[in-house]
Amino acid sequence: MTKTTPSSAALPKDLPILAVLALSNPPDGDWARLRGLQYSSLARMTVPRLIAHGIAALAAVRIFFGTIHIAVLLGWLVALAGTLYYGARFDRSLGDADRRRMTREEVNSQAISSVVTALVWTVPVAFFGPLSSYDTRLELWTVLAMLVTAMAILLPAVPLGTILFAAVVGGASAISLMFSGAFDMAVVATVFVGVAAIGAIESARNYLRTKVAEAGIAEKQEVVSLLLREFEEGEADWLWQIDTARRVRSVSPRFAFALGLDPEDIDGKPFIQLIAGAAWETGQFPSSLHDLAERLKRRESFSNLLVRVTINGLHRWWELSGTPKIDENGVFDGFRGVGSDVTEQRESSDKIAYLARYDTLTGLPNRLMLTEAMGEAMRAAEQWRTRCAFLMIDLDRFKAVNDTLGHLVGDQLLARVSERLKSLMTDNELCGRLGGDEFAIVIRDASDLNRVERVAQAVIDRLSQPYEVDHHTLYVGASVGTAVGPRDGSTVETLMRNADLALYRSKDEGGGQHFSYEPALHAHAEERRKLEFSLRRALERNELVLNYQPVVDANDESVMSFEALLRWNSAEHGFVSPVKFIPLAEDTRLIIPIGEWVLREACQEATKWPPHVKVAVNVSGEQLLDPQFTASVVGALTMTGLSPQRLEIEVTESIFVRDATMARAALEQIIALGCSVALDDFGTGYSSLGYLRKLRFSTIKVDRSFVQGAATGNKESLAIIRAVVAMADALDMSTTAEGAETEEEVAMIRRLGCKKIQGYYFGRPMSATEAGQLFYRGRPAAIAAA
């Protein structure tokens, strides 16, 4: 493994004293890595340092032998050996420091180890010396001075340890000599310590400068080596060279390979001829090849010139760079340069450019290209005083196809739609896909407004015809919104926004229609914006209220439950129909906090009713797919104390269309709590017996349209109600007929076998107070008739 060296970005420009001593880390340079280079040398010099300390210790024992008791000397030797052993073990652990970053804790530990060793060496100075003669103390100082010198020599990279050792040992010796009256020797000892410290610092600086230089040279060699190896071994580049007559000379093997010829067949031939193909004979050069020839003729340097060449009859793209050669006399001597085949990159660039402007699924122009085309049409209309138009198209009922049959079928359907759109276009129109199931048409010249109407109607008629996709017969329609420029907008953004407003109106009107932009549509959009703003504050203003409609037993007409119905009386807009604000709440996800409030309020009110009466709360798909929905149900039941058996959650089949798995999981959690689940409006949506088989619904609610149809004798409605009742009985479910308004309808519902009835005949939606009074006034029918 190659030893890691600091990168060029990590090499410091100068070496401050504190940084060299490992007491600071300047911002310029990776000093943690450099510190590793310093301290890794400790491991290599461990044995020589131990030998130096051993020799010095034996010399000290010899000096004091006979003066100091042998047991004391042995004890001192044991203490010194212990500190040296600890230090040696720690220094050995730093052997890999040059391959990692040193930590502050490691630096401190090494410094402490040096200080502890020095303190052990002060024992002979402080305690043995005073018991000996002056000459003996001088001998000891000589031994210590030699030891300090040895440390400075053996540890040039780590001056902090040397300085601390010298300072402690030298300071103790100077003080000892001073107390013995040898002031001159004390000064000498002090000066020696200072010189040793300066020398240690300079030695460390020289060591680090050497390491930094080695790292820089190694890095440059590595870079050069990598570049050479990449050039030698790579397959992308080659060298080329031509003489003053622009004939190829010194053919490299890879240049010959790029041309598909042998080197001997290339040498001496005109460079342009080799890469021009048939154009050499006809003279019809591509512009890029003509540009290359002109630059060679003018003897101009060029870099990364993209040239279309012909090799063995195939068109390819080369990227060439070249520089004129000048001999020692300053005379032009030809060209030399490098080249590479960038055909794949060029094709990728072309593909990227295509993808940037075309839709990958349908092959139609995308939003970017449509926007550019609309901009060109707007400029032409302004220049020639004409009109242009932008048609925005949205498919009706596409979401149902996509959700029920899957995205694969949905994508195939979009491809068929795009084919039909293209078949309707002339040179005056450009169609494209904006995204999802939205398409658009740019009409460049819309001076004839009847033409705009004809195109829009043709789109609706053509796209509304049935499609055969993957053995399915599919029916989708189209809604179209149109804006004409510059009448309806002076910029592309304005025109597209206004076409979107017209499309929104078409969707509001039921789809399958074409509407042109009108200024009044802005008012409609502004009204929706204001309505959303007011709805966001409706909860905190206490503008929302619940009404309750009774659901009665079909036999004895006793109240079995109430359905909670949300009403909004806005301070700005007055009474707002649920048909208007519920979809808005779902679009803006305000239905989540509003739904939580409805749950709490309904459960709180239900606690005031007899214990057998349930409350039914409608839940939208947005609520059911919210991860916190189950928690909000639990919270409402806990806060109000209502029994889970008295709460019924009403859902429609549409929730299973979006995410059947998640919806089923959420409902199973609700059922596990003890709550019941009712399936509302069964038969009006995307009915599937799979829902009934997989989930234990407590009730199936028959939509009012079937009830009213059956009351008029409609055979299909009667058959549907009978089938639903029979199926519910077989699955041990109850049935509720909605929309009963007359006594005849009630009688018919009883004959068909529905167990529960809901409708104006037994009571309109009423306030919480009125609902509570029902239990004290008698039969609901009497109240309804009152």
Side-chain angles (χ1 to χ4, degrees):
M1 182 180 293
T2 305
K3 181 180 290 187
T4 303
T5 58
S7 66
S8 59
L11 302 182
K13 297 180 180 178
D14 51 12
L15 303 171
I17 292 177
L18 291 179
V20 172
L21 292 176
L23 298 177
S24 70
N25 289 323
D28 61 326
D30 190 349
W31 277 93
R33 289 287 300 278
L34 290 175
R35 203 79 68 227
L37 290 175
Q38 283 183 277
Y39 280 77
S40 64
S41 63
L42 290 173
R44 296 191 299 272
M45 301 307 297
T46 299
V47 173
R49 282 191 297 115
L50 290 176
I51 293 173
H53 277 279
I55 294 172
L58 291 175
V61 169
R62 187 199 63 79
I63 292 171
F64 292 106
F65 188 80
T67 304
I68 305 299
H69 194 280
I70 188 64
V72 175
L73 291 175
L74 289 175
W76 174 75
L77 283 174
V78 170
L80 179 62
T83 58
L84 290 174
Y85 175 76
Y86 170 80
R89 283 191 59 188
F90 181 80
D91 292 348
R92 285 284 188 182
S93 70
L94 300 177
D96 64 340
D98 58 340
R99 297 188 295 275
R100 59 181 177 84
R101 285 170 167 76
M102 284 283 292
T103 64
R104 171 53 55 184
E105 290 75 19
E106 289 177 317
V107 172
N108 293 341
S109 296
Q110 206 285 326
I112 292 171
S113 173
S114 299
V115 171
V116 171
T117 304
L119 289 174
V120 174
W121 272 106
T122 61
V123 171
V125 176
F127 299 99
F128 300 168
L131 302 177
S132 306
S133 65
Y134 175 74
D135 292 337
T136 302
R137 275 176 277 178
L138 285 180
E139 284 185 72
L140 178 62
W141 164 243
T142 302
V143 171
L144 292 176
M146 292 178 64
L147 183 59
V148 168
T149 303
M151 293 302 99
I153 294 171
L154 294 173
L155 300 177
V158 189
L160 181 61
T162 301
I163 291 173
L164 290 174
F165 184 87
V168 174
V169 173
S173 298
I175 294 172
S176 176
L177 291 169
M178 194 180 299
F179 277 109
S180 64
F183 294 104
D184 53 343
M185 289 305 297
V187 172
V188 170
T190 303
V191 172
F192 177 84
V193 170
V195 172
I198 293 172
I201 292 173
E202 288 305 312
S203 295
R205 276 180 168 165
N206 291 332
Y207 179 89
L208 285 177
R209 287 193 188 101
T210 302
K211 288 297 181 181
V212 167
E214 289 175 357
I217 292 172
E219 182 185 38
K220 289 178 181 177
Q221 290 176 343
E222 184 178 0
V223 170
V224 171
S225 175
L226 285 173
L227 289 174
L228 288 174
R229 187 164 63 252
E230 182 179 11
F231 185 80
E232 292 294 333
E233 298 178 358
E235 298 180 358
D237 301 282
W238 60 81
L239 298 173
W240 60 271
Q241 186 171 311
I242 59 175
D243 58 18
T244 55
R246 296 189 286 280
R247 296 179 180 273
V248 176
R249 301 298 179 192
S250 303
V251 181
S252 68
R254 279 192 286 128
F255 181 44
F257 178 79
L259 288 170
L261 298 171
D262 293 328
E264 56 269 18
D265 296 332
I266 300 171
D267 194 59
K269 287 191 176 180
F271 183 37
I272 300 299
Q273 179 184 357
L274 290 170
I275 61 178
W280 178 258
E281 303 295 336
T282 63
Q284 302 296 318
F285 296 121
S287 58
S288 59
L289 195 58
H290 187 271
D291 185 24
L292 172 65
E294 286 296 315
R295 290 173 185 264
L296 295 176
K297 182 179 179 181
R298 294 194 299 265
R299 302 177 182 178
E300 294 179 353
S301 297
F302 52 90
S303 179
N304 301 326
L305 181 66
L306 198 62
V307 180
R308 183 186 175 190
V309 301
T310 303
I311 307 297
N312 295 327
L314 299 177
H315 296 303
R316 301 194 68 81
W317 289 93
W318 283 7
E319 190 174 77
L320 299 174
S321 298
T323 305
K325 293 191 301 175
I326 307 297
D327 64 15
E328 62 274 9
N329 298 318
V331 178
F332 173 72
D333 194 31
F335 265 88
R336 69 158 56 96
V338 296
S340 60
D341 191 319
V342 294
T343 306
E344 292 182 1
Q345 295 92 313
R346 172 76 182 196
E347 290 174 350
S348 297
S349 299
D350 292 343
K351 186 175 182 180
I352 291 171
Y354 175 84
L355 294 176
R357 284 174 169 75
Y358 286 88
D359 177 60
T360 55
L361 176 63
T362 62
L364 294 178
N366 62 10
R367 181 181 290 271
L368 174 62
M369 191 170 180
L370 285 169
T371 303
E372 292 175 348
M374 193 68 249
E376 294 173 1
M378 292 281 285
R379 287 189 289 273
E382 182 179 0
Q383 179 181 359
W384 302 106
R385 297 292 188 270
T386 58
R387 292 173 177 171
C388 57
F390 188 80
L391 281 67
M392 193 169 285
I393 306 162
D394 187 85
L395 300 183
D396 301 330
R397 299 180 297 280
F398 173 76
K399 187 177 184 301
V401 173
N402 209 33
D403 289 338
T404 54
L405 299 179
H407 292 287
L408 183 60
V409 173
D411 289 347
Q412 293 182 56
L413 177 58
L414 290 175
R416 302 288 178 83
V417 168
S418 67
E419 291 171 1
R420 293 188 183 184
L421 276 178
K422 283 189 287 188
S423 69
L424 297 174
M425 298 298 101
T426 67
D427 292 340
N428 189 39
E429 295 96 30
L430 174 71
C431 66
R433 182 186 177 207
L434 296 174
D437 62 341
E438 284 191 336
F439 295 82
I441 297 174
V442 174
I443 300 182
R444 299 180 180 90
D445 183 1
S447 301
D448 181 7
L449 293 181
N450 290 328
R451 170 61 183 165
V452 177
E453 180 64 36
R454 289 195 299 272
V455 170
Q457 195 57 51
V459 166
I460 294 173
D461 294 342
R462 187 76 178 91
L463 299 189
S464 298
Q465 294 174 11
Y467 299 81
E468 293 294 330
V469 179
D470 199 16
H471 308 295
H472 297 282
T473 302
L474 305 176
Y475 292 88
V476 294
S479 301
V480 182
T482 300
V484 176
R487 182 193 69 188
D488 298 332
S490 57
T491 65
V492 173
E493 292 77 15
T494 304
L495 205 64
M496 294 177 73
R497 185 176 67 247
N498 290 342
D500 194 26
L501 289 174
L503 175 63
Y504 191 81
R505 180 185 175 188
S506 176
K507 301 291 285 186
D508 272 354
E509 295 294 329
Q513 301 182 61
H514 168 231
F515 281 93
S516 297
Y517 168 76
E518 299 173 359
L521 295 178
H522 269 298
H524 177 75
E526 181 64 16
E527 179 189 1
R528 189 177 188 274
R529 187 191 66 80
K530 290 180 178 178
L531 197 66
E532 178 185 339
F533 182 75
S534 298
L535 185 58
R536 290 185 181 277
R537 298 187 296 171
L539 272 178
E540 60 188 59
R541 290 179 166 186
N542 295 320
E543 294 177 350
L544 298 178
V545 66
L546 290 182
N547 282 356
Y548 300 89
Q549 187 173 26
V551 178
V552 303
D553 187 290
N555 296 320
D556 59 16
E557 299 184 0
S558 62
V559 176
M560 300 182 70
S561 64
F562 282 95
E563 181 179 1
L565 302 170
L566 184 61
R567 299 293 183 259
W568 178 26
N569 190 9
S570 170
E572 291 90 359
H573 307 280
F575 177 78
V576 184
S577 169
V579 176
K580 198 171 187 179
F581 77 81
I582 293 294
L584 178 61
E586 291 178 339
D587 289 344
T588 57
R589 287 189 61 81
L590 288 172
I591 197 68
I592 303 300
I594 291 175
E596 292 177 356
W597 176 85
V598 169
L599 272 170
R600 292 194 301 269
E601 190 73 11
C603 290
Q604 184 64 53
E605 191 61 35
T607 58
K608 303 174 185 178
W609 304 335
H612 69 280
V613 178
K614 293 185 176 184
V615 62
V617 177
N618 291 283
V619 172
S620 73
E622 288 293 333
Q623 289 175 266
L624 198 62
L625 299 181
D626 179 49
Q628 301 302 316
F629 173 68
T630 304
S632 66
V633 173
V634 173
L637 294 171
T638 304
M639 187 182 73
T640 61
L642 185 71
S643 170
Q645 286 73 25
R646 295 184 61 194
L647 176 62
E648 186 172 63
I649 300 296
E650 285 194 12
V651 297
T652 61
E653 294 168 291
S654 61
I655 64 167
F656 297 102
V657 173
R658 261 185 84 180
D659 192 334
T661 302
M662 192 170 178
R664 177 186 169 190
L667 290 177
E668 284 176 344
Q669 291 175 343
I670 297 302
I671 293 172
L673 293 174
C675 303
S676 54
V677 177
L679 185 60
D680 199 5
D681 299 338
F682 182 75
T684 61
Y686 307 98
S687 303
S688 171
L689 297 180
Y691 307 146
L692 303 178
R693 180 175 57 84
K694 294 176 182 178
L695 277 172
R696 291 178 289 110
F697 290 101
S698 61
T699 303
I700 299 177
K701 301 189 76 171
V702 180
D703 187 68
R704 61 181 299 172
S705 60
F706 296 126
V707 172
Q708 293 171 350
T712 60
N714 183 280
K715 293 182 179 180
E716 291 182 353
S717 297
L718 285 167
I720 288 174
I721 295 178
R722 288 193 182 100
V724 170
V725 170
M727 181 175 56
D729 289 342
L731 296 174
D732 197 24
M733 299 178 185
S734 180
T735 49
T736 300
E738 297 181 301
E741 298 181 358
T742 64
E743 189 172 353
E744 290 75 16
E745 289 177 350
V746 171
M748 180 270 301
I749 290 169
R750 287 195 180 107
R751 288 195 303 273
L752 292 174
C754 290
K755 294 183 173 63
K756 293 180 285 186
I757 306 175
Q758 179 181 355
Y760 287 175
Y761 182 77
F762 294 103
R764 292 175 176 272
M766 59 191 72
S767 67
T769 303
E770 292 172 329
Q773 292 174 353
L774 270 184
F775 303 108
Y776 305 103
R777 291 187 180 180
R779 289 172 61 248
I783 298 173

